Amino acid sequence: MSQVIAKSKKPAKGSVNKKKTLALLSMVAPGAIWLILLRYIPMFGITIAFKDYKIYTKAPSLVNNIIHSKWVGLKNFKFIFATTDSWQMIRNTIGYNALWIVLGLVISVVFAIMLNEINNKFVAKSYQTLMFFPYFLSWVVASYFLLAFLDPTRGLLTHIQQNLGMTPTNWYNNPKPWPVILTIANLWKGIGYSTILYLAAITGIDSSQYEAASIDGANKWQQIRYVTLPHLKTIIIILFIMNVGKIFNADFGLFYSVPMNSGPLYPATQVIDTYVYNALIATNNVGMSSAAGLLQNVVGFICIMFANTIVKKVDPDSSLF
Amino acid sequence: MKKNKVLPLILSVAMLSTLLTGCGSKASTDAAATDSASTEATTETTTEAGADASVDASSLEPVTLKWYLHGSNVTDDAAVLEAANAYLTEKLNVTLEPIWGTWGDFDQNSVLAINGGDDVDIYFTCSWSADEYNAFAKKGAFVRLDNPDNNLVAEYASDLWSTLPEVLTNGAMIEGSDGYGVYAVPGYKDIATQNCWDINVPLLEKYGYTIDDIKNADYYSFGDILKTVKEGEGSDFYPLLVEGMVLERMVTNSVIVTGDSGTNNLLSYYIDPVDVSKEGPYGNKMLSKFETPEYKKFVEQTRQYFLDGYIDPAMGNKNQANDVRVAKQLTGEYLIGTQSYALGYETQASKERKFEVAMVPATPPYVDTTSSQGAMMAISTSSKNPERAMMFLNLLNTDPYLMTLLNYGVEGTHYDIVDGEAVFTAKRDDYMPWTNGMGNVTLLPPQEGQGKDFYDKFKEYYGAAKEVPNLGWAFDPTNVETEMGALSNVAEEYALALDTGTVDPAEKLPEFIQKLKDNGIDKVVEEANLQLDAFMSAKQQ
Amino acid sequence: MSHTNNSVVSPRRTKKRRLNSVSIPTEIVIYIVLGLFCLACVLPFLFVIIISFTSEDSIRQIGFSFIPAEWSLEAYKYVIDLGDQLWRSYFNSFFVTLLGTFLSVLICILYSYALFRPDFKYRKFFTFFCFFTMMFGGGLAPTYMVCKNMLHLSDNYAAMIVPMLLNPFNIIIMRTFFQSSVPESLIEAAAIDGSGEYNTLFKIIIPIAKPGIATIALLNALAYWNEWFIPMLYVRDANHIPLQYLLMKMQNQVDFLVKNSSMIGAEAANIMSDLPKDSLRMALVVLIVVPIACAYPFFQRFIISGLTVGSVKG
């Protein structure tokens, strides 16, 4: 019987479905076309990573150059691993990233919840605006700000140390404090950005849920625990997964500008991106630069797929796809 | 008309033979010397030769040349282009479409354009820009100009070639994608290197010294002077204002090795500080820069000066060093600095800094590969009209009217000639290409304040500069790229700190050398010497 | 619907929020913690403003300092001297930012809304299609070639707008915002009412998702406003140059000259000694940041107001 009903309904439902799918496809279309043109077509360039890129002198064009360049296998990747610094830079890159993903997540969620609890709208708005300011400043400018404190001869901290009769620290020569300095710098710059994402997610929560919770006698902490956090869960997980995808990439500006590219600090500040930058200035090889980028992306991709699979098992709704 | 065609022909045959034989012999040096001496004569005849070309122009197809320049500050080129295109259409049936690359964006954009095969005819290239001459000639970006099958130089640019000093044409001969030859037209500008001690004269004299005390001393015996001045000026004053890498080269008498790493050289080539054209203490050999006894002696002395408080700690801090150095030069907060010199620099510096500056040379001026390739114009392999591009470059570098028009702007609008010197008007602010980056600057009228005879002095000074024995040689890192990548990072970590004394060489130098060895410096040095030997034997033939 | 609801609900809600707020000591702690962080955020900007008004001599003598030895307007004068070009570039920046933000937000909403719909047949495919480009790209040279030679994005406004129209990261975020703020039952209800897909999206969903959309709009606007690299690649015509690139060009020029002075020769020294180098760098930051900072409250209104406006209840 039910089969019969289902059958008789099918054509109508099918055409509705078709219409819906078409409507949704038309929504995706502009974005998809853009992605094909500006992202997928240029992907032929990935092959440069496996080539000894030369210009095809008879008819130079990017496509011709790539086609006529010799395949060299994985040779372009070698420079990342064939160095005594490999371990150091990979450790630094992954280590800082892991620490900052966790710290950044916790602090910005806490800040977003705190902002949400401020009753005075003016204060809440001002705080939120001010938090966003570091986002406007480039790392170069930030590095000058830091220099005003740490300058070996004219810095503020240097003067304070001198006045207290201490020997001034030569900050740009001593790698020890730099993990802390870099961490502070990174959080300072990034917190405002992610806080605003979490805040937007919180403000999107249907307020009747809080009303219901408070009628049930839930106090503030319980409301946060049982209403806010579960709602934030999806975006937390999504942002987390996407950050994991960048675990092999480092913020070049931060690691290059903030420590003023000072050599003696390298044990604490050298990351894959700065290493590649220095190596490419020396060799000027397009193949090597795309190899480095590709490697970072592949590692990131694997990490994301891995993280996503785990999330999918635990909580299918929050997974990326 | 016949006469006009014979002279270039003879010259081109002469040039061709010198090019093919590698220009090593004494005889050809003399020949080229007479050529460059007769520059003015040649330039005068070009107007005539140009008129001759104009007859041909009508038979030539009209062509637009895209020309990519560096370091320009041009916001309004309409007037200049109108005049230039009128002139060029008549002469060569060519119109110009310059792309005014600025100091900031040239590196990124030109490399993208070259790699992507953009439709550009002529690129600026040199030994220090991102589209580095040797590397991109090797990659196939530039047309070989003296290709035996299609010798553009002999056919269209013999005038130009005969006006260039031999050190320049020699320096342009490299191993490129199409064999050993010329891949760009070298610009005649400040082509020699001379590292000098930059002396703050009033301060020196304040403590009872004279410039002769500096001249008679060397780096290792500056101690007493530095001590006196430091004591007199107080603890915040750092008398020795150094640029780490320049200082190292000055003290150890090594030259920049072209093609060797971007920011830090790993290789040293020592020259004879008295007669730069002779081989240095190690002969024609590349050395691992940081392993020589000379380098050790230098960093130990520098460390001592640093500990004595003569060197500002900021000098060892890469991103800060240049800013602080420039600032201290301008305020005169130094006694002895380092400067890579260009003719007339002391006059200009004195004017800018508002105190008397003297330059005490550490070596005679010399021409090495890097300085001889300081500014060049290459024809792109993507150019559809390489012949016409060559004709244009020939005219540009031999015709004072065209060079002055494109470089200074329109007379009466952008500049006026007063007393034999060019005096710029306010309009010049809208049209300011990089003077040295276009071509033969000796065709230009001197600028205000340079003096009427500036270019005579210029030719005298740079004409006297001798070439170092390995002129023209550039290191090709292709076979050791992996090692170069790793090593450049190692050098970045240690070199500047050691060169400025901010770290202790007793501890760091052995650590540094060990790390270089672990990352394959020996292989790089061996490769460099193989290449150098091959080059030298080719050059001697 | 939501508007009528609001006017009735809001007085009650204000009262309720007070009842429902954290204790006074907790709130004080919040004020202090966030206040200190905000101070750390705003201090560097004050520093930037101070340096931009500091004379170059003062910087040379005492370095970067909160209390300069001498004040100066030199840096701003230098920029104002650009004259018409400056205003032209301001206009270009505003134009590109407005149009670019509008279009990119529209595309982002459309794409991510479809991805959000659990009943979209090709949902998985298009999610991955978008996500994949976040991880892999062809690199600069191929993208440049496609934009310039295939799409002719050169010396026009499109060259500055098109390359940044879509950001996969924003699409994923927007999809997540939809997930956490739009109840699926709402869409079903709308479908039963006979509302077309576009109608549902624009009339029902978008008003609910306002905080999320405002956030994405803010991020896009900032991206457009701050962008200088893309104009550097594709725009040479002075009439089209946006502010950020105009100023960045000055900045890059100074940096380049300082770095390569020994190779360029006397001319470099000549140009450099005339420039108010460090104060200029800071003045440029001020000129860039102030207009966009002024636009910030506009977006913020939607983000914060979400706190009380609430959403349509089913």
Side-chain angles (χ1 to χ4, degrees):
Chain A
M1 266 265 281
S2 62
Q3 255 181 346
V4 178
I5 297 169
K7 241 181 194 167
S8 68
K9 265 192 174 173
K10 219 175 193 172
K13 205 180 174 189
S15 77
V16 170
N17 269 341
K18 215 173 196 175
K19 218 177 128 196
K20 183 175 77 189
T21 307
L22 276 179
L24 290 174
L25 274 177
S26 72
M27 288 182 185
V28 171
I33 291 169
W34 188 93
L35 284 171
I36 291 171
L37 285 176
L38 280 105
R39 288 287 178 271
Y40 282 95
I41 292 181
M43 276 189 198
F44 70 87
I46 291 177
T47 49
I48 296 176
F50 305 97
K51 293 226 165 189
D52 175 20
Y53 188 81
K54 288 258 154 60
I55 288 153
Y56 182 61
T57 49
K58 281 180 203 127
S61 75
L62 191 69
V63 179
N64 278 345
N65 296 347
I66 292 178
I67 292 172
H68 290 93
S69 292
K70 272 202 308 271
W71 291 98
V72 290
L74 296 176
K75 184 174 167 260
N76 288 332
F77 293 83
K78 236 173 91 189
F79 79 108
I80 300 171
F81 300 103
T83 158
T84 50
D85 287 334
S86 281
W87 160 241
Q88 175 180 296
M89 67 184 178
I90 293 174
R91 177 202 67 196
N92 284 349
T93 311
I94 296 184
Y96 284 126
N97 271 329
L99 179 70
W100 296 347
I101 290 173
V102 175
L103 276 181
L105 191 151
V106 172
I107 295 177
S108 19
V109 169
V110 169
F111 276 14
I113 293 174
M114 280 175 157
L115 267 180
N116 192 33
E117 294 306 332
I118 290 181
N119 276 335
N120 185 323
K121 282 280 279 296
F122 177 73
V123 175
K125 276 188 179 180
S126 319
Y127 275 7
Q128 206 229 330
T129 310
L130 295 181
M131 270 186 182
F132 217 74
F133 263 83
Y135 187 81
F136 292 118
L137 299 182
S138 70
W139 280 122
V140 176
V141 171
S143 76
Y144 279 83
F145 177 67
L146 194 65
L147 186 68
F149 289 89
L150 305 185
D151 188 291
T153 52
R154 310 184 289 196
L156 218 57
L157 279 184
T158 315
H159 280 309
I160 292 173
Q161 282 176 321
Q162 275 167 346
N163 291 342
L164 293 175
M166 291 152 55
T167 348
T169 321
N170 192 345
W171 295 95
Y172 292 97
N173 227 342
N174 174 14
K176 284 211 187 70
W178 282 89
V180 180
I181 296 174
L182 291 174
T183 302
I184 293 172
N186 177 274
L187 293 174
W188 167 80
K189 189 153 171 130
I191 290 284
Y193 183 91
S194 40
T195 299
I196 199 177
L197 289 179
Y198 291 121
L199 187 67
I202 292 176
T203 54
I205 297 173
D206 185 346
S207 55
S208 65
Q209 299 205 17
Y210 289 107
E211 285 164 32
S214 84
I215 288 164
D216 286 349
N219 66 23
K220 201 68 223 175
W221 302 115
Q222 288 165 326
Q223 286 178 28
I224 290 170
R225 171 91 174 67
Y226 294 107
V227 181
T228 315
L229 285 180
H231 258 95
L232 284 183
K233 191 184 67 186
T234 319
I235 187 147
I236 289 175
I237 290 175
I238 291 288
L239 283 175
F240 176 78
I241 293 179
M242 290 204 287
N243 282 332
V244 165
K246 296 257 173 276
I247 194 120
F248 230 54
N249 299 64
D251 184 344
F252 177 78
L254 169 60
F255 289 96
Y256 185 80
S257 300
V258 175
M260 290 279 167
N261 192 23
S262 175
L265 301 182
Y266 272 25
T269 62
Q270 189 174 48
V271 287
I272 296 173
D273 295 74
T274 53
Y275 175 85
V276 169
Y277 176 81
N278 284 334
L280 290 176
I281 286 189
T283 63
N284 213 338
N285 183 328
V286 202
M288 279 158 77
S289 78
S290 37
L294 185 61
L295 178 74
Q296 290 180 316
N297 292 338
V298 168
V299 173
F301 186 68
I302 293 170
C303 290
I304 282 202
M305 297 310 272
F306 184 68
N308 192 55
T309 315
I310 293 178
V311 170
K312 220 172 184 171
K313 287 227 166 85
V314 181
D315 177 17
D317 289 341
S318 302
S319 68
L320 195 55
F321 38 78
Chain B
M1 214 175 116
K2 233 175 196 169
K3 209 172 76 191
N4 271 330
K5 280 206 166 158
V6 175
L7 179 66
L9 193 72
I10 294 171
L11 278 173
S12 63
V13 171
M15 282 318 294
L16 187 62
S17 58
T18 43
L19 289 174
L20 289 175
T21 52
C23 336
S25 69
K26 192 82 185 117
S28 71
T29 317
D30 291 341
T34 30
D35 281 350
S36 51
S38 66
T39 304
E40 278 149 82
T42 328
T43 13
E44 272 154 30
T45 54
T46 26
T47 352
E48 226 179 305
D52 171 36
S54 73
V55 180
D56 292 339
S58 55
S59 64
L60 296 167
E61 289 286 304
V63 157
T64 301
L65 292 178
K66 288 197 181 175
W67 183 25
Y68 211 135
L69 297 110
H70 196 179
S72 16
N73 221 326
V74 174
T75 48
D76 180 11
D77 59 6
V80 175
L81 278 189
E82 195 186 330
N85 283 336
Y87 186 71
L88 282 168
T89 311
E90 186 197 319
K91 293 267 173 195
L92 307 169
N93 211 0
V94 157
T95 41
L96 275 186
E97 210 175 287
I99 304 169
W100 301 111
T102 67
W103 295 125
D105 64 17
F106 178 85
D107 278 355
Q108 181 87 47
N109 282 343
S110 64
V111 169
L112 261 181
I114 293 176
N115 276 336
D118 270 15
D119 175 27
V120 172
D121 296 282
I122 304 170
Y123 283 101
F124 173 88
T125 177
C126 65
S127 56
W128 47 270
S129 63
D131 64 337
E132 199 264 316
Y133 176 53
N134 296 279
F136 278 78
K138 189 117 203 155
K139 270 187 198 149
F142 307 140
V143 173
R144 179 172 168 189
L145 304 179
D146 59 346
N147 193 329
D149 300 334
N150 181 17
N151 194 327
L152 297 174
V153 171
E155 203 155 339
Y156 306 107
S158 43
D159 296 349
L160 156 61
W161 235 247
S162 62
T163 62
L164 294 174
E166 201 207 1
V167 285
L168 275 185
T169 47
N170 281 356
M173 298 280 289
I174 56 163
E175 189 68 40
S177 62
D178 234 353
Y180 182 73
V182 177
Y183 290 82
V185 175
Y188 191 4
K189 46 157 243 165
D190 41 359
I191 48 172
T193 305
Q194 185 173 35
N195 291 321
C196 293
W197 300 112
D198 166 344
I199 308 296
N200 182 344
V201 179
L203 191 69
L204 186 75
E205 286 171 352
K206 181 176 162 194
Y207 290 92
Y209 295 102
T210 62
I211 210 76
D212 287 332
D213 294 318
I214 302 287
K215 281 181 183 157
N216 296 330
D218 69 355
Y219 185 60
Y220 296 98
S221 54
F222 281 157
D224 290 340
I225 303 177
L226 294 171
K227 187 158 182 264
T228 316
V229 176
K230 172 86 183 179
E231 276 166 4
E233 294 290 307
S235 66
D236 283 347
F237 180 84
Y238 301 95
L240 201 53
L241 186 67
V242 298
E243 187 174 356
M245 281 175 289
V246 175
L247 179 70
E248 188 269 332
R249 286 198 294 269
M250 270 174 93
V251 175
T252 63
N253 297 313
S254 59
V255 302
I256 300 178
V257 177
T258 316
D260 161 21
S261 181
T263 41
N264 290 297
N265 267 199
L266 301 162
L267 301 167
S268 276
Y269 182 79
Y270 287 141
I271 54 167
D272 185 327
V274 182
D275 183 353
V276 292
S277 60
K278 281 196 195 141
E279 287 181 3
Y282 292 89
N284 256 323
K285 218 175 143 217
M286 287 292 153
L287 305 165
S288 168
K289 181 177 279 296
F290 309 104
E291 294 178 53
T292 63
E294 283 86 347
Y295 185 73
K296 187 156 184 280
K297 185 178 167 205
F298 158 69
V299 289
E300 278 164 356
Q301 181 64 64
T302 308
R303 177 64 177 174
Q304 195 49 51
Y305 285 159
F306 177 81
L307 291 176
D308 292 341
Y310 303 158
I311 299 174
D312 190 333
M315 292 304 129
N317 195 355
K318 187 130 196 188
N319 286 7
Q320 194 192 357
N322 282 324
D323 287 349
V324 175
R325 197 165 38 78
V326 171
K328 293 205 162 179
Q329 280 175 349
L330 286 171
T331 49
E333 266 181 272
Y334 72 99
L335 178 70
I336 303 174
T338 54
Q339 182 63 48
S340 102
Y341 179 73
L343 184 66
Y345 188 74
E346 60 271 64
T347 325
Q348 198 195 341
S350 302
K351 207 169 87 190
E352 269 161 19
R353 300 178 198 171
K354 299 178 187 75
F355 58 85
E356 191 193 342
V357 176
M359 295 285 159
V360 177
T363 60
Y366 58 85
V367 183
D368 59 7
T369 310
T370 306
S371 62
S372 75
Q373 300 174 353
M376 314 174 96
M377 285 295 167
I379 299 175
S380 165
T381 43
S382 68
S383 170
K384 304 220 166 36
N385 301 292
E387 294 83 12
R388 215 65 81 73
M390 192 76 241
M391 288 156 91
F392 164 68
L393 287 175
N394 183 48
L395 192 62
L396 175 71
N397 281 284
T398 50
D399 184 336
Y401 169 74
L402 184 64
M403 176 54 93
T404 312
L405 172 65
L406 286 168
N407 216 321
Y408 286 177
V410 179
E411 186 173 356
T413 309
H414 297 97
Y415 71 98
D416 298 300
I417 295 289
V418 179
D419 222 4
E421 292 178 348
V423 179
F424 293 122
T425 65
K427 270 303 260 177
R428 164 79 169 170
D429 289 348
D430 301 334
Y431 186 82
M432 238 193 310
W434 175 36
T435 312
N436 279 343
M438 211 175 259
N440 187 350
V441 293
T442 61
L443 299 177
L444 296 167
Q447 295 179 20
E448 192 182 7
Q450 283 180 327
K452 248 191 269 186
D453 56 348
F454 178 76
Y455 283 110
D456 297 331
K457 280 195 249 160
F458 184 96
K459 282 181 196 158
E460 193 184 325
Y461 174 83
Y462 289 107
K466 289 186 186 166
E467 57 178 83
V468 298
N470 75 339
L471 173 72
W473 182 73
F475 178 54
D476 170 18
T478 313
N479 294 331
V480 286
E481 272 179 334
T482 309
E483 286 79 12
M484 289 302 285
L487 289 167
S488 67
N489 272 283
V490 177
E492 197 78 352
E493 183 173 347
Y494 294 92
L496 185 65
L498 284 167
D499 288 350
T500 54
T502 45
V503 293
D504 182 8
E507 180 200 345
K508 292 289 176 183
L509 187 57
E511 192 183 310
F512 183 21
I513 292 175
Q514 188 54 45
K515 216 166 163 184
L516 288 169
K517 292 216 177 282
D518 290 345
N519 284 293
I521 186 76
D522 294 338
K523 195 177 161 192
V524 171
V525 174
E526 198 189 311
E527 169 77 21
N529 278 314
L530 277 178
Q531 289 180 19
L532 181 61
D533 290 346
F535 176 85
M536 292 312 289
S537 57
K539 193 174 177 178
Q540 256 130 46
Q541 268 167 23
Chain C
M1 194 159 68
S2 65
H3 286 290
T4 48
N5 256 357
N6 263 342
S7 52
V8 181
V9 164
S10 47
R12 189 171 59 88
R13 179 163 291 126
T14 355
K15 205 177 158 199
K16 185 211 60 115
R17 266 193 64 77
R18 207 171 292 145
L19 278 176
N20 197 21
S21 44
V22 287
S23 63
I24 303 285
T26 320
E27 193 161 351
I28 290 172
V29 170
I30 292 177
Y31 271 70
I32 292 171
V33 170
L34 292 183
L36 283 176
F37 181 72
C38 290
L39 191 69
C41 288
V42 82
L43 214 58
F45 196 71
L46 285 179
F47 172 80
V48 165
I49 295 175
I50 290 172
I51 303 295
S52 74
F53 286 106
T54 303
S55 83
E56 206 65 13
D57 281 341
S58 167
I59 297 173
R60 279 171 199 147
Q61 274 150 20
I62 61 169
F64 297 119
S65 164
F66 282 97
I67 311 145
E70 191 194 342
W71 298 92
S72 153
L73 286 169
E74 214 183 328
Y76 290 94
K77 253 193 226 136
Y78 188 86
V79 180
I80 299 292
D81 276 351
L82 289 170
D84 289 347
Q85 179 67 55
L86 183 70
W87 310 121
R88 178 83 208 171
S89 293
Y90 257 117
F91 168 80
N92 290 338
S93 278
F94 274 114
F95 181 76
V96 167
T97 304
L98 283 176
L99 190 62
T101 307
F102 174 75
L103 291 174
S104 60
V105 168
L106 187 68
I107 291 180
C108 178
I109 290 174
L110 288 172
Y111 199 103
S112 50
Y113 174 71
L115 298 191
F116 149 71
R117 288 284 297 272
D119 50 346
F120 178 38
K121 206 170 155 193
Y122 306 104
R123 180 184 189 219
K124 277 212 165 130
F125 171 79
F126 281 107
T127 310
F128 193 82
F129 192 72
C130 157
F131 157 76
F132 191 73
T133 65
M134 201 165 77
M135 297 309 301
F136 295 97
L140 187 58
T143 314
Y144 171 82
M145 193 209 79
V146 169
C147 287
K148 198 161 186 177
N149 299 342
M150 257 177 68
L151 306 175
H152 299 291
L153 297 174
S154 179
D155 279 338
N156 46 33
Y157 286 115
M160 292 178 266
I161 292 174
V162 174
M164 298 172 67
L165 267 184
L166 194 144
N167 179 344
F169 180 85
N170 287 350
I171 289 198
I172 306 277
I173 296 292
M174 194 64 227
R175 185 198 73 167
T176 315
F177 279 141
F178 279 133
Q179 277 172 345
S180 60
S181 59
V182 179
E184 279 164 33
S185 55
L186 203 63
I187 298 166
E188 283 160 25
I192 290 167
D193 286 353
S195 160
E197 295 298 338
Y198 281 92
N199 191 49
T200 313
L201 173 60
F202 285 100
K203 291 275 160 60
I204 302 171
I205 309 297
I206 287 182
I208 301 177
K210 249 193 221 156
I213 294 170
T215 309
I216 297 296
L218 171 69
L219 298 183
N220 280 336
L222 283 175
Y224 273 110
W225 182 263
N226 284 332
E227 186 60 41
W228 60 271
F229 190 75
I230 285 175
M232 180 185 98
L233 295 182
Y234 303 122
V235 180
R236 308 211 145 271
D237 176 15
N239 280 330
H240 286 90
I241 287 179
L243 181 70
Q244 181 72 274
Y245 173 46
L246 181 77
L247 302 185
M248 209 61 192
K249 226 162 75 168
M250 296 167 73
Q251 181 62 54
N252 285 343
Q253 172 159 330
V254 178
D255 291 349
F256 188 91
L257 289 175
V258 170
K259 234 194 253 168
N260 294 291
S261 54
S262 63
M263 298 315 299
I264 297 157
E267 245 171 296
N270 214 345
I271 301 170
M272 256 162 18
S273 68
D274 293 345
L275 278 177
K277 203 161 53 66
D278 294 298
S279 52
L280 178 67
R281 193 197 308 265
M282 300 304 176
L284 300 185
V285 176
V286 174
L287 290 170
I288 287 286
V289 173
V290 167
I292 192 78
C294 292
Y296 192 84
F298 168 78
F299 296 102
Q300 196 187 34
R301 205 166 50 143
F302 296 101
I303 301 167
I304 297 266
S305 67
L307 289 167
T308 48
V309 168
S311 54
V312 188
K313 308 293 123 40

